[in-house]
Amino acid sequence: MVKRTPNPLDRTEERALLERARQSDYSAFETLVMSCERRMWAIAWRLVTDKEDAENVVQTGFLKAMEALDSFRGESGFCTWVGRIVTNEALEVLRRRRRRDGVSLDAASSESDEGDPIALPELLVDWREDPSVGIQREELRGLLDSALEQLTPGLRAVFVLRDVEGLSGAETASLLGIAEGNVKVRLLRARLALREHLTEAFGGESMVHSHLVPHGLGGLAAALESVG
Amino acid sequence: MSDCKDLLGALSEYLDGNEQSEMCATLREHMAGCDKCRLVVNTAKRTIELYRGIDVVEFPVDVKERLHGSLREAWARRAVQAESRRP
């Protein structure tokens, strides 16, 4: 039986556990794993949105961390370090999916983020007071996951890392191997696209279309898909 | 109309709390008289809050058990390899 997840570790505890783990103490390594396994699952799940893939991503991430334990210098915290490995594994899954579907993620990620115009908000209607009232928590999760799934991997990764995981623009850029300026552009695109999807769910029936969108431009989501 | 479009670039900065910047001040001023921009900013803000506020799907117990099982096995293999490398 696996023990319960402990409280977050402070850096001193973490360093001591790392030292013990390097000296072959499995229980120390296990404590480190348990301090961030939920967070790793959250990152993996939100990026790959599939239980089996998320499980493989988390497992591979921790196994790679185990193998590299002796070379980990501790410049960042253990969870940040494993978070990088897990994010890269998740992105690899997304790349494989894109290749399988005949679309190159690398081609998509090297596109000119800053040069393309940002698609403008289209659905202009206020949400009900509290969107979570009147629907089950599971249903709300489903809505949020489904909106996230509609983003391209490049946009999804930036949104998850910046807005959900709280990484800085610089950290996100370094993790994804893109310029910080591109993180900003993608974040804006992702936020606007998600806002649009959620407005469809929470905005009631009388949708008002924006005066901002040039006539005939088409849906915001479609415009974002074509550039993001 | 062009004001709304021009100010879209300040949206993220505003949502990130860099409200002291000149662009954000312009956006804030503009929002006071533009219902539509106020609505976009507010719903974008609530979008982020919803994602931050909702717990991710529970870390499933079966996934956790398999993770720890696989880590324990890998750790044991590692120990055997390390032992065999000793002179």
Side-chain angles (χ1 to χ4, degrees), chain A residues 2-3 5 21 24 26 29-30 34 37-38 41-42 45-46 51 55 59 63 66 120-121 124-129 131 140-141 144 147-148 159 162-163 191-192 194-195 202 211-212, chain B residues 1 4-5 8-9 11-13 15-16 34 36-37 39-40 43-44 46-48 50-60 62-68 70-72 74-75 78:
Chain A
V2 175
K3 287 177 274 181
T5 305
S24 307
Y26 181 69
F29 181 69
E30 192 179 43
M34 286 192 295
E37 61 192 1
R38 296 178 71 84
W41 174 257
W45 173 263
R46 282 190 161 125
K51 187 179 173 187
E55 177 170 356
Q59 211 169 94
L63 285 169
M66 182 195 284
L120 299 167
L124 294 175
V125 60
D126 207 357
W127 295 4
R128 30 181 206 266
E129 189 66 26
L140 179 61
R141 272 196 197 123
L144 297 182
L148 209 48
F159 179 79
R162 280 284 283 113
D163 274 347
R191 285 168 164 177
L192 286 172
L194 290 172
R195 188 207 76 87
F202 303 135
H211 64 298
L212 299 172
Chain B
M1 259 169 83
C4 303
K5 268 167 48 173
L8 200 58
L11 175 66
S12 268
E13 217 172 311
L15 293 171
D16 290 336
C34 178
K36 291 179 178 177
C37 280
L39 194 145
V40 169
T43 47
R46 289 167 78 190
T47 297
I48 299 168
L50 270 182
Y51 277 98
R52 281 190 187 148
I54 188 98
D55 300 332
V56 76
V57 176
E58 277 290 298
F59 184 33
D62 59 327
V63 173
K64 185 179 169 102
E65 296 283 348
R66 282 194 293 274
L67 169 68
H68 285 266
S70 134
L71 291 177
R72 265 194 300 272
W75 190 272
R78 208 168 156 255

Side-chain angles (χ1 to χ4, degrees), chain A residues 79-147:
Chain A
C79 292
T80 307
W81 177 55
V82 182
R84 284 197 198 108
I85 303 174
V86 164
T87 303
N88 281 325
E89 288 300 318
L91 290 174
E92 195 45 47
V93 167
L94 298 177
R95 281 193 193 99
R96 276 201 298 273
R97 279 189 204 160
R98 305 273 287 188
R99 276 197 295 270
R100 187 193 61 201
D101 299 339
V103 186
S104 158
L105 180 68
D106 295 321
S109 65
S110 64
E111 75 197 27
S112 152
D113 280 305
E114 289 172 281
D116 295 323
I118 304 282
L120 299 167
E122 192 171 280
L123 295 177
L124 294 175
V125 60
D126 207 357
W127 295 4
R128 30 181 206 266
E129 189 66 26
D130 182 353
S132 57
V133 166
I135 61 170
Q136 298 289 321
R137 209 162 175 73
E138 284 304 313
E139 197 186 339
L140 179 61
R141 272 196 197 123
L143 276 169
L144 297 182
D145 284 345
S146 135

Side-chain angles (χ1 to χ4, degrees), chain A residues 16-36:
Chain A
L17 287 165
L18 275 167
E19 197 43 50
R20 281 173 45 204
R22 287 194 190 103
Q23 289 164 11
S24 307
D25 179 345
Y26 181 69
S27 72
F29 181 69
E30 192 179 43
T31 306
L32 287 165
V33 170
M34 286 192 295
S35 72
C36 52

